[in-house]
Amino acid sequence: MRLALLALPILSLAALCCAGSVAGQGPAGNPDWWKQNAEYIDVAYGPEAWQRADVFHPDTGSGLHPALIHFHGGGFDSGTYHLAWHPLQDGVLAGGVAIVSAGYALAPGGVWPAPEADGARAVQFFREHGAAYGIDPARIGVMGRSAGSQIAGYATYGPDYSDPGSPDPVEQQSSRPRVYVNRSGPLDWTAFAGSIPGTHFGAGSLSLAQQASLDAASVVPLVTAWSEPVAPPPAFSYYQGPVGTPPIAKLHDSYFGLALHQMLDAGGTRTA
């Protein structure tokens, strides 16, 4: 099954999830992959110490590349934007798409909506300055796994952080990406059965978050609240395992992907 990423090159399910190693980039789990392959390291997309990103260019083509901004997983309290090797990177780069791996605020210091605001800022920054890093500002999508996929989904279907009156040209840019690649994202916090051990959300943990915060940060309900005159950006989702029913007890339950795509399909947005 394939998904046309608007103006981005077409990426297949096999390319995203099952691609083999590109020469010089393996083996799997290589923790220094980012050092060996990044075109730019620790690009500051904002003033905070954690607002940094690594940029990886595909080996094919020249000029400006379409790009996916990647947000790592880790329960909102761990993980790094310095990528170890994974076949996903091979598939994306082999398709002629650049990868921007962006860091974001981690708990306990950074709780909602700080990580989501960082995700929006990353999109805005590379839309304003992408050409300086070999990225086509008009062809920027987002991608994430687990907690990072929630951040990417919020950038796609949450509020647009654009502020045309801001003196900062980055803040004037739209934070809306062209496409959303969702890898096992926990997209509807209201569907969970109590707290999820090892994750941070709201006031330290899911069980302590106020209901208003859960409603505001849940990606799936945001789809129905979309008010722009154009259709929501398309999505590509990848989950493993059976589809549960709320209340959900598994952080990466396939229920979240199915719920998202049912809402998007109902609105006429192409998904895969």
Side-chain angles (χ1 to χ4, degrees):
M1 182 179 294
R2 291 176 179 268
L3 167 65
L5 306 187
L6 296 185
L8 297 174
I10 292 177
L11 299 178
S12 69
L13 179 64
L16 283 168
C17 305
C18 312
S21 171
V22 173
Q25 295 184 353
N30 176 9
D32 293 327
W33 185 86
W34 63 277
K35 294 180 183 179
Q36 300 162 355
N37 293 278
E39 195 76 20
Y40 300 95
I41 292 176
D42 291 335
V43 175
Y45 70 83
E48 303 295 344
W50 57 83
Q51 293 177 324
R52 300 292 182 268
D54 296 338
V55 179
F56 303 85
H57 284 179
D59 292 332
T60 58
S62 59
L64 300 182
H65 304 283
L68 286 173
I69 299 178
H70 175 270
F71 302 100
H72 63 82
F76 294 99
D77 62 2
S78 63
T80 176
Y81 63 95
H82 292 320
L83 294 175
W85 182 87
H86 188 280
L88 171 65
Q89 282 106 253
D90 284 359
V92 172
L93 294 173
V97 178
I99 297 174
V100 176
S101 183
Y104 53 88
L106 298 175
V111 295
W112 189 86
E116 285 76 7
D118 289 338
R121 172 76 185 191
V123 174
Q124 291 175 303
F125 177 87
F126 285 99
R127 187 155 277 149
E128 174 68 20
H129 298 293
Y133 299 97
I135 292 170
D136 184 348
R139 295 187 292 169
I140 293 177
V142 290
M143 169 175 66
R145 182 187 180 280
S146 190
S149 190
Q150 196 273 347
I151 294 170
Y154 193 81
T156 309
Y157 304 116
D160 192 329
Y161 279 61
S162 174
D163 180 3
S166 172
D168 181 356
V170 171
E171 293 182 352
Q172 296 175 21
Q173 294 289 338
S174 171
S175 61
R176 185 78 63 227
R178 299 292 300 276
V179 68
Y180 169 39
V181 179
N182 163 34
R183 298 175 59 224
S184 304
L187 304 182
D188 186 358
W189 295 99
T190 64
F192 279 121
S195 64
I196 304 297
T199 67
H200 283 79
F201 189 84
S205 72
L206 183 59
S207 61
L208 298 177
Q210 295 182 355
Q211 189 64 41
S213 294
L214 296 177
D215 292 338
S218 293
V219 172
V220 171
L222 287 173
V223 176
T224 61
W226 184 269
S227 60
E228 295 295 322
V230 295
F236 174 105
S237 285
Y238 174 72
Y239 288 80
Q240 291 179 305
V243 178
T245 56
I248 300 297
K250 292 172 56 182
L251 189 62
H252 303 134
D253 198 288
S254 297
Y255 160 82
F256 300 112
L258 181 62
L260 170 66
H261 285 257
Q262 285 177 339
M263 288 187 177
L264 290 173
D265 291 343
T269 294
R270 188 178 180 188
T271 65

